[in-house]
Amino acid sequence: MEKSDIMLPEVASYLANQKVLVTGVTGFVGLALVEKLLRTVPDISTIYVLIRAKRGKSMEDRLNEIKENAIFETLINKEKASALSKLVAVEGNIDADQIGLSEQDLQTVISNVNYVFHCAATLDFEASLKTTVEINLLGTRRIVELCKKMQNLKTLVHVSSAYTNANRQSADEIIYPPPEDVNKVVELVRTLSGTQLEEVTPSLLKNHPNTYTFTKALAEHEVANSFQNFPSCIIRPSMIVGAWKEPVPGWTNSKNGPQGFIMGAAMGVVRRLPVGKHLVYDYIPVDVVVNTMIVAAVYTVSQKNQLTETPIFQCTSSTHKPFRWANVEHLLSDLLHKYPLMQAVWYPHLKLLPSITHFRVSAFIFHIIPAYIFDTISRVSGVRPKLVRLHTAVNQSLDRLEPFIFQEWMFDNSKSLRLHHSLAPADKEVYGLDVASLQWEPFFEDMAKGVRRYLHKEKDSTLDRARNKDNLLMVANLMLQVALFALFWFIIKCVFGVSAGQAALVLPFLYVLFSIL
């Protein structure tokens, strides 16, 4: 996209009467994409959504759950609920041949689909190479092979990740060489045992931090290599966070990243967080990601005669609207008590720590010990204990997460910004890609409200009662602190045989120590 004078056609009109296939519709991005298309493209014909039966729920059951999701409140409030009838489920799975479609559904998709949005992937940083190859790499290959058969396909939009290039400190909007020979990787996955594959995985990954970034990088080449068969584009979002503007500020169904931190902190069970406060963390709102996908699709189709390769659009903020935790640190406590939870188990408090070692020491005192206490109480009360298991899992994952916690990347998004400027003025309001006007402080407040409403499922009407409970927990927390310091004073007095006044001199030291931790 070298020219800056391109003017794209009006998006909603361009997508009118089109039939779309979306994978990963039960996930964060896929669900947000479906909502946006239904709400802003009133004349879209059909949205086929790939769904599999899961955990005793049929495909139809899962489709109904999707339709009942809170994300569609705005659509329903605008009396557009009938648009949900445009969702048509096709049963399948990207880790199966022909993505698991029945012969009838396969023919329907091949004959009708105009746009494919491939959002499905495993985001598990701890997943084995076999799992990530099967879903992220071969799943994408199966989508590409299906697209080659489609009779009316206009473009494939592949959702990748900015972290496909996590082995570089900075990345441009280009395809980089594959990190390994794809045929070699597939052959090893198919022939080696699980133990053997685990042994060779580090040598395959080289300087990639995990199997996720490695397989997503390989998957990009599956898409790019098919460009002579059909038009395609690749979207590389960074860490996707809650909605900035649409459908509701703060909407989320993801527990990853800062939403997960806030979720745990609001419960009072996550009290320490390892971050580099002054490092740049690349966060991007989910509605901006969805807008980029839709506009990139229109661009790729409308400009296909000028394109010679698959265009890449990085949906990122690091070089354009960088976020640093230092900018919002002062807000965290206020937000936790402005939007408290009815289900909080203790008085919320979140402190940012500068290293993994510091976090491990502090977490033992403020996470692990309280977790054993609360789990013991849970067992006595007949409730299933879970806090020890939760914090143990967090501690075990720190080594894998550390490269993402204490490293910053710079992802150029020049092409995405030019894409934004190619929109008509009215479309910039509806499908805008530029986060220049995003203010991180109010964004985090919306995120806190969204976590409460959509992840903890607590209604706004319970807020006053939750604040009353928060005040009671504050009193209980203060009383516990006084009791602990009194206990320390008594132990020092008895063990060392000193006077009460001498024992009290140690308390300021303990206060400073706990403040550091």
Side-chain angles (χ1 to χ4, degrees):
M1 186 175 174
E2 309 301 338
K3 298 180 180 180
S4 59
D5 57 349
I6 293 173
M7 182 58 67
L8 293 180
E10 199 269 330
V11 172
S13 297
Y14 203 77
L15 295 177
N17 304 313
Q18 301 301 292
K19 296 180 179 180
V20 172
L21 171 66
V22 179
T23 71
V25 69
T26 56
F28 191 24
V29 174
L31 185 60
L33 170 68
V34 165
E35 189 279 337
K36 180 79 174 195
L37 289 172
L38 290 177
R39 179 166 47 84
T40 65
V41 187
D43 294 322
I44 199 164
S45 174
T46 306
I47 301 178
Y48 297 102
V49 290
L50 186 70
I51 303 177
R52 61 174 174 170
K54 187 177 181 182
R55 294 173 186 168
K57 295 181 180 178
S58 68
M59 174 192 70
E60 291 79 9
D61 292 336
R62 298 192 75 196
L63 178 61
N64 289 331
E65 284 184 353
I66 289 171
K67 292 180 178 182
E68 293 169 1
N69 193 284
I71 193 174
F72 295 112
E73 288 176 353
T74 300
L75 188 74
I76 293 170
N77 290 339
K78 291 185 176 181
E79 299 182 352
K80 296 181 179 180
S82 60
L84 291 170
S85 64
K86 297 181 180 182
L87 295 181
V88 176
V90 289
E91 187 163 10
N93 194 353
I94 62 167
D95 61 6
D97 290 341
Q98 296 189 132
I99 64 171
L101 295 176
S102 67
E103 191 59 36
Q104 181 179 349
D105 285 342
L106 180 63
Q107 291 307 314
T108 297
V109 168
I110 289 174
S111 302
N112 292 290
V113 168
N114 308 118
Y115 290 79
V116 175
F117 291 91
H118 179 39
C119 309
T122 175
L123 305 179
D124 185 357
F125 283 5
E126 300 186 37
S128 68
L129 184 61
K130 182 177 180 63
T131 298
T132 51
V133 164
E134 193 64 51
I135 297 175
N136 295 345
L137 172 57
L138 296 181
T140 300
R141 179 177 291 182
R142 294 180 187 107
I143 291 294
V144 168
E145 291 304 312
L146 179 63
C147 287
K148 289 178 182 178
K149 300 176 183 177
M150 291 183 182
Q151 299 165 5
N152 298 294
L153 180 69
K154 294 185 177 180
T155 190
L156 163 65
V157 179
H158 172 64
V159 181
S160 183
S161 170
Y163 297 101
T164 55
N165 298 302
N167 56 329
R168 306 170 185 274
Q169 289 188 328
S170 61
D172 295 322
E173 291 166 295
I174 61 174
I175 292 274
Y176 289 92
E180 185 54 88
D181 179 79
V182 66
N183 294 323
K184 172 185 173 182
V185 173
V186 172
E187 181 66 18
L188 289 173
V189 166
R190 287 176 172 167
T191 58
L192 296 184
S193 67
T195 301
Q196 291 172 323
L197 190 59
E198 190 173 337
E199 290 175 354
V200 302
T201 294
S203 63
L204 291 173
L205 298 187
K206 300 181 180 69
N207 53 353
H208 267 271
N210 54 45
T211 60
Y212 168 76
T213 67
F214 177 74
T215 52
K216 291 292 281 185
L218 290 173
E220 287 192 350
H221 289 268
E222 298 292 319
V223 176
N225 291 342
S226 67
F227 188 76
Q228 299 307 314
N229 300 100
F230 56 83
S232 60
C233 61
I234 295 173
I235 313 299
R236 287 183 186 153
S238 53
M239 170 58 75
I240 306 174
V241 293
W244 175 21
K245 297 178 181 179
E246 298 179 300
V248 177
W251 175 82
T252 183
N253 72 355
S254 171
K255 299 176 184 178
N256 293 328
Q259 292 118 156
F261 306 152
I262 294 174
M263 189 178 185
M267 287 289 291
V269 298
V270 173
R271 311 184 70 79
R272 298 295 185 267
L273 182 64
V275 296
K277 293 193 294 186
H278 300 288
L279 294 178
V280 172
Y281 288 78
D282 202 312
Y283 295 147
I284 195 74
V286 65
D287 46 335
V288 178
V289 177
V290 166
N291 289 351
T292 305
M293 293 166 64
I294 295 171
V295 176
V298 172
Y299 165 79
T300 303
V301 177
S302 64
Q303 303 298 314
K304 64 180 179 181
N305 292 333
Q306 283 71 49
L307 295 175
T308 57
E309 60 183 7
T310 298
I312 312 290
F313 300 102
Q314 293 192 152
C315 196
T316 55
S317 63
S318 53
T319 58
H320 187 55
K321 191 71 176 183
F323 169 83
R324 295 175 177 86
W325 277 97
N327 295 338
V328 299
E329 183 180 16
H330 64 285
L331 289 177
L332 296 178
S333 290
D334 288 344
L335 293 177
L336 292 174
H337 302 299
K338 189 174 182 180
Y339 304 104
L341 298 176
M342 285 298 300
Q343 54 193 300
V345 299
W346 197 248
Y347 186 68
H349 176 74
L350 185 62
K351 184 175 182 178
L352 307 183
L353 301 179
S355 73
I356 294 294
T357 301
H358 192 162
F359 172 79
R360 288 188 190 278
V361 173
S362 186
F364 178 76
I365 297 171
F366 294 102
H367 288 172
I368 302 300
I369 293 176
Y372 274 102
I373 294 172
F374 277 110
D375 277 4
T376 300
I377 295 172
S378 296
R379 287 190 183 92
V380 173
S381 305
V383 178
R384 185 167 66 93
K386 56 185 178 181
L387 289 183
V388 171
R389 183 162 43 87
L390 168 69
H391 287 300
T392 300
V394 169
N395 284 338
Q396 290 174 345
S397 68
L398 285 177
D399 291 336
R400 293 180 183 268
L401 293 175
E402 187 170 7
F404 293 91
I405 297 174
F406 294 105
Q407 182 173 336
E408 62 181 11
W409 287 268
M410 294 293 135
F411 300 118
D412 180 68
N413 68 336
S414 301
K415 288 184 180 178
S416 293
L417 292 177
R418 290 203 292 273
L419 192 62
H420 170 80
H421 292 300
S422 69
L423 289 167
D427 273 347
K428 287 179 181 177
E429 295 297 318
V430 181
Y431 303 100
L433 319 181
D434 191 351
V435 295
S437 61
L438 186 154
Q439 298 299 314
W440 289 113
E441 290 189 14
F443 177 83
F444 257 72
E445 178 159 359
D446 287 333
M447 186 189 295
K449 290 189 284 187
V451 166
R452 185 182 194 276
R453 183 182 303 159
Y454 300 110
L455 297 184
H456 285 294
K457 311 292 186 185
E458 295 203 3
K459 297 180 179 179
D460 294 347
S461 58
T462 66
L463 199 51
D464 286 339
R465 283 188 291 142
R467 286 170 180 160
N468 290 335
K469 179 179 178 178
D470 189 61
N471 289 332
L472 293 175
L473 289 175
M474 178 183 67
V475 173
N477 187 58
L478 290 172
M479 291 175 65
L480 177 62
Q481 291 180 27
V482 170
L484 287 174
F485 276 98
L487 178 62
F488 283 126
W489 170 83
F490 182 75
I491 292 173
I492 293 168
K493 178 177 176 292
C494 295
V495 171
F496 294 99
V498 296
S499 67
Q502 289 174 320
L505 294 176
V506 181
L507 296 183
F509 169 77
L510 289 174
Y511 178 81
V512 172
L513 177 62
F514 280 113
S515 297
I516 293 172
L517 292 175

